[in-house]
Amino acid sequence: MHRHHSRVPSPWITRHAGLIASGGRVLDLACGGGRHTRYLRGRGHEVTAIDIDASGLADLADDPLVEIVETDLEQPGTAPLAGHRFDAVVVTDYLYRPLLVPLADCLEPGGILLYETFARGNERFGRPRNPDFLLRRGELLALAQGRLTVLAYEHRAIPPPKPRIVQRLCARKPTS
């Protein structure tokens, strides 16, 4: 799995973070080192940060607005999102297709899904190369179909210095 260890939040996340309800509860799924957890916490959100390795979040362990969950999201039989509701879900640089529908389902009405990860074509630039970790064209739009209202969508090449092919979605769960 490809991970960015940067502390700089994704421009896609910062561009759309203002859509998240003020003080809302946010899930940062597969949070890695916590760049979005820190950014969203800094905006006043309660953040649940989930990753298989939470060691990069040790400095946030005592923060009352941050819940750190260390778990393998891909372990058969686990349902890490069951029974939880969030005002926003943020996912970057991670794809595990069995979680796509549960991610949309765990949003509160009016909640925002911000998703950005690698897409087919990225293999020519580096990892990930495995199609299991690369979105097909329109795959995030298909996820939203009938579940979420698409507010913004991109499938594009990011230029050097870190060239890659990404797909990005910003979508809202209907309120009724």
Side-chain angles (χ1 to χ4, degrees), residues 100-101 104 113 135-148 150 153 167 169:
L100 289 176
V101 170
L113 175 63
L135 288 166
R136 296 179 294 274
R137 185 167 292 281
E139 193 168 356
L140 289 179
L141 287 175
L143 165 67
Q145 187 71 37
R147 289 183 189 88
L148 306 170
V150 175
Y153 172 80
Q167 198 170 129
L169 177 73

Side-chain angles (χ1 to χ4, degrees), residues 70-172:
E70 189 171 85
T71 190
D72 182 349
L73 295 163
E74 300 173 20
Q75 183 66 36
T78 61
L81 306 178
H84 296 280
R85 293 285 175 263
F86 299 94
D87 297 298
V89 172
V90 172
V91 186
T92 60
D93 301 338
Y94 179 76
L95 177 61
Y96 182 61
R97 286 180 175 90
L99 286 179
L100 289 176
V101 170
L103 285 172
D105 290 347
C106 78
L107 286 169
E108 291 282 7
I112 299 292
L113 175 63
L114 295 175
Y115 207 122
E116 173 184 35
T117 198
F118 300 96
R120 298 259 169 104
N122 189 75
E123 58 276 8
R124 71 177 177 264
F125 297 117
R127 296 176 41 168
R129 290 185 172 95
N130 182 334
D132 291 346
F133 305 119
L134 298 170
L135 288 166
R136 296 179 294 274
R137 185 167 292 281
E139 193 168 356
L140 289 179
L141 287 175
L143 165 67
Q145 187 71 37
R147 289 183 189 88
L148 306 170
T149 301
V150 175
L151 305 176
Y153 172 80
E154 293 181 352
H155 184 117
R156 63 182 293 242
I158 305 296
K162 289 186 175 180
R164 58 201 187 280
I165 305 294
V166 297
Q167 198 170 129
R168 298 166 165 165
L169 177 73
C170 172
R172 182 185 311 274

